[in-house]
Amino acid sequence: RQLFRGFHKLSLPVNSQFLKVFAVGTLVATTAGNRYFGIEAGRSVTIHVVNVCSDLDIGPLERLSNYNALAQEVAMALVDASNADFVQNTLLPLFLGVQDMRGGQP
């Protein structure tokens, strides 16, 4: 929980009905050995987390159109002017495999 509190929380659309939290952060962890998966113990790994929280249910009673609205709210948060710098220089590079869109190295 403490690590999650340090994640960057994007501004949500004003009329957001389903999107409750949109947070992005990076964790550094150390692997545990697992011979069945060929993982050696003690390796440092970086884990980038994009956490999209909603109160939608995955059960059969949820209206499918609510997922359309959630996807729209996520898209609106990504293009919101208040999130522009973070999306352009931090979130987008996570998906493109570069350090920083302002000239960082891949």
Side-chain angles (χ1 to χ4, degrees):
R1 291 183 188 246
Q2 181 180 355
L3 292 173
F4 180 74
R5 287 187 198 109
F7 282 13
H8 178 87
K9 292 172 185 61
L10 282 79
S11 298
L12 304 181
V14 175
N15 297 326
S16 183
Q17 183 179 0
F18 300 108
L19 183 61
K20 303 303 178 191
V21 175
F22 192 162
V24 179
T26 299
L27 309 171
V28 177
T30 304
T31 59
N34 187 316
R35 65 184 174 127
Y36 299 107
F37 291 100
I39 300 172
E40 66 182 75
R43 291 188 64 194
S44 180
V45 293
T46 301
I47 305 166
H48 300 296
V49 178
V50 177
N51 187 20
V52 176
C53 296
S54 171
D55 57 6
L56 290 180
D57 191 354
I58 61 170
L61 301 177
E62 190 67 62
R63 292 180 60 204
L64 287 178
S65 62
N66 291 345
Y67 291 99
N68 297 344
L70 174 61
Q72 181 65 39
E73 292 170 4
V74 169
M76 290 171 57
L78 289 171
V79 299
D80 188 280
S82 65
N83 296 323
D85 183 62
F86 181 81
V87 169
Q88 182 68 31
N89 296 305
T90 304
L91 184 58
L92 188 57
L94 294 180
F95 288 96
L96 297 177
V98 296
Q99 296 294 323
D100 188 329
M101 293 300 288
R102 293 171 281 208
Q105 299 298 317

